[in-house]
Amino acid sequence: MNDLSQQSEVNNNQNQGFTKNPGLRNEKKILTLLHRSRQVTQTSLCQMTGLNSSTISYTVARLRDKGLILEEPGKSHSRGAKPVLIRINSLGQYIIGVEVNPSHLSVGLFDFNAQLIDSVRSAISPFDQHLPQQINDLIEINIRGLLGRHKTDTSKVIGIGITLSGSITPDGEVHLSSPLGWKNIPLRSMVQERFNDILVTVHSTRVRLLAEMNLAEQDSFKNVLYINIANGVGGSVYIDGKLTQGATGRTGEIGHITINPDGSLCGCGNRGCLEAYVSGPAITRQIHQDMKSQESVLKQTLQNEDIPEKIIEAWGNAIRHKDPYAVALCQNVSQYIARVAAMAINCYDPDIVMLAGYVSREIMPQLSEAIYHAINQGVFDSEGRTIRIIPARSGEECLIQGVATAILHEYLNSD
């Protein structure tokens, strides 16, 4: 696992539930090393931590009693006793990751290595997505159902991480989520009331990049501009090996860059935002509007489907079959995104642009070509840069995976 300890989206105000006990510091130090090294001896732990052998022995015994580590004999290259290898007990503790999406709620149960054990997904109706209390009910039902399925008690869960598209305050309030239509929703405290024995934290969707970093080899990505185009449009920025947050945790809000001051109204309240033109719901609305006066194979899709993900998938198929309307819309959408991507490249100087989200997935070749063209035309000193454009690999579970990773690293780095 990559060392992402400085990349967690959880801030100090939300982390008050993590125990601040100096006596636990050595335990956390050893657990962190085990997460990095997977399997080590007590002698190696002494060398890596600088702690003496008696302190290591005492701390290892505490971790053993808590069921957080496993020990097994290793191979000996001499006639002496075989060394004892220590590793994380992946089922010693658990993490819950929750994604709140306009169309669905995903909940994942993760082990103590932030590896997914099981997940459930529930559809959210257009009516319910605007009712935070109903969403809170659904979160509780799914978490308790998942824990019950695996006969896991809440006392073994180190944290519940919730992620959604929007602006999150330091105390876990959703200040604004244009995809959900939420303003000033105290989501963390709402969920915390249902799980008072587990720390709950709320994160922006930037945590999805943590999932992507877990798939990469150590140090393979240093400077990344991650662009996600789905129900909303967002960016994450990874600079010099660190996920940036900014003064208020709003770094990378490229979906709310104005591309037409007199344009369509965005869910954030402003006009002409990129998100109002290229998000899944925005493209779906455009297709509905255009099909009143234009011909396309998409007309038949609209008669049977109203979910943005399904309509965008049909749009992608129409593009691949050279439907003139679908191709023309693809060109417009790609150019809008490419223009803003070039602006972001000028600001953040990445060497990788990573494209994610169900919209990007359907138009990946055209979008990549448009961004390369925009780099050549609109990025300062483009000839002196080497920028790769690649698709994200972490899939539809990237958000719950990312938020679980954030919870694990915050736990390991808390006092």
Side-chain angles (χ1 to χ4, degrees):
M1 180 182 296
N2 293 337
D3 180 11
L4 303 175
S5 60
Q6 298 183 46
Q7 301 162 8
S8 172
E9 285 277 318
V10 187
N11 59 55
N12 292 332
N13 288 350
Q14 293 192 57
N15 288 335
Q16 293 174 356
F18 284 121
T19 303
K20 292 185 177 181
N21 185 336
L24 297 179
R25 289 177 182 170
N26 289 338
E27 293 182 26
K28 297 289 181 69
K29 185 180 293 187
I30 289 176
L31 289 173
T32 299
L33 288 172
L34 291 176
H35 275 288
R36 292 175 183 169
S37 303
R38 296 302 188 189
Q39 192 169 255
V40 298
T41 64
Q42 285 201 31
T43 300
S44 296
L45 286 175
C46 291
Q47 296 170 347
M48 290 187 287
T49 63
L51 299 173
N52 61 47
S53 59
S54 60
T55 301
I56 289 294
S57 296
Y58 173 75
T59 308
V60 166
R62 284 173 55 111
L63 292 172
R64 183 193 309 121
D65 292 342
K66 292 180 179 181
L68 298 181
I69 60 170
L70 296 173
E71 297 168 288
E72 58 188 25
K75 295 180 179 180
S76 176
H77 299 289
S78 66
R79 295 183 180 182
K82 292 182 178 181
V84 175
L85 296 176
I86 305 166
R87 60 184 173 88
I88 291 287
N89 177 11
S90 61
L91 300 182
Q93 296 278 17
Y94 298 89
I95 305 166
I96 297 290
V98 180
E99 174 197 356
V100 182
N101 185 288
S103 62
H104 65 265
L105 179 83
S106 292
V107 179
L109 176 66
F110 294 81
D111 68 15
F112 200 34
N113 286 316
Q115 298 301 306
L116 182 64
I117 297 172
D118 194 7
S119 64
V120 292
R121 175 176 287 210
S122 301
I124 297 177
S125 71
F127 176 72
D128 284 339
Q129 71 174 258
H130 297 287
L131 299 173
Q133 194 59 52
Q134 275 78 352
I135 300 300
N136 194 22
D137 292 341
L138 197 58
I139 290 173
E140 180 180 16
I141 290 168
N142 279 278
I143 289 177
R144 296 199 184 280
L146 201 53
L147 291 174
R149 182 191 302 176
H150 292 270
K151 298 180 174 58
T152 301
D153 189 79
T154 56
S155 63
K156 296 191 71 176
V157 178
I158 64 172
I160 296 172
I162 304 170
T163 180
L164 53 84
S165 178
S167 174
I168 313 298
T169 68
D171 59 356
E173 178 179 287
V174 182
H175 184 258
L176 175 65
S177 174
S178 51
L180 288 166
W182 286 3
K183 288 185 178 181
N184 302 321
I185 303 300
L187 184 61
R188 191 203 68 81
S189 61
M190 290 170 62
V191 178
Q192 190 71 76
E193 287 178 0
R194 308 288 183 92
F195 297 93
N196 54 26
D197 55 341
I198 308 174
L199 178 67
V200 177
T201 53
V202 182
H203 311 248
S204 77
T205 52
R206 288 182 189 85
V207 294
R208 75 175 82 241
L209 187 50
L210 300 184
E212 202 65 38
M213 295 300 102
N214 273 352
L215 293 175
E217 295 182 2
Q218 184 77 23
D219 297 327
S220 61
F221 292 157
K222 285 293 187 182
N223 298 281
V224 180
L225 171 62
Y226 184 102
I227 300 176
N228 183 71
I229 308 163
N231 288 311
V233 178
S236 300
V237 183
Y238 193 71
I239 296 178
D240 294 333
K242 297 179 182 179
L243 183 63
T244 63
Q245 298 185 49
T248 61
R250 294 171 174 86
T251 298
E253 288 290 350
I254 64 172
H256 299 288
I257 291 177
T258 301
I259 60 174
N260 182 359
D262 299 318
S264 302
L265 184 66
C266 180
C268 72
N270 294 329
R271 287 194 173 275
C273 293
L274 177 67
E275 187 173 293
Y277 288 88
V278 305
S279 66
I283 296 171
T284 296
R285 288 192 295 270
Q286 185 66 54
I287 293 172
H288 272 285
Q289 180 65 33
D290 292 343
M291 288 305 95
K292 296 176 182 178
S293 59
Q294 298 193 44
E295 292 300 322
S296 170
V297 295
L298 291 171
K299 275 190 175 180
Q300 184 175 357
T301 301
L302 298 185
Q303 294 174 1
N304 305 309
E305 189 61 73
D306 59 1
I307 298 175
E309 288 94 328
K310 298 295 185 181
I311 293 175
I312 296 302
E313 183 179 358
W315 175 49
N317 287 330
I319 293 168
R320 288 183 282 277
H321 285 87
K322 309 298 184 183
D323 177 80
Y325 167 78
V327 170
L329 180 59
C330 175
Q331 291 174 344
N332 289 337
V333 168
S334 297
Q335 288 171 7
Y336 280 138
I337 298 169
R339 189 185 312 165
V340 172
M343 296 178 189
I345 290 168
N346 273 324
C347 293
Y348 300 118
D349 190 25
D351 51 21
I352 291 175
V353 175
M354 190 177 293
L355 302 176
Y358 66 84
V359 174
S360 296
R361 183 170 61 245
E362 297 299 334
I363 61 171
M364 189 65 66
Q366 297 88 343
L367 182 54
S368 297
E369 182 180 354
I371 293 175
Y372 276 125
H373 181 74
I375 290 172
N376 291 331
Q377 297 295 316
V379 171
F380 172 72
D381 193 21
S382 60
E383 293 183 357
R385 303 172 189 249
T386 301
I387 300 174
R388 289 192 295 143
I389 301 173
I390 63 174
R393 299 177 296 168
S394 51
E396 64 180 15
E397 292 173 335
C398 63
L399 282 171
I400 57 173
Q401 176 67 68
V403 79
T405 302
I407 289 291
L408 175 60
H409 284 280
E410 188 62 33
Y411 171 79
L412 292 175
N413 286 279
S414 63
D415 291 332

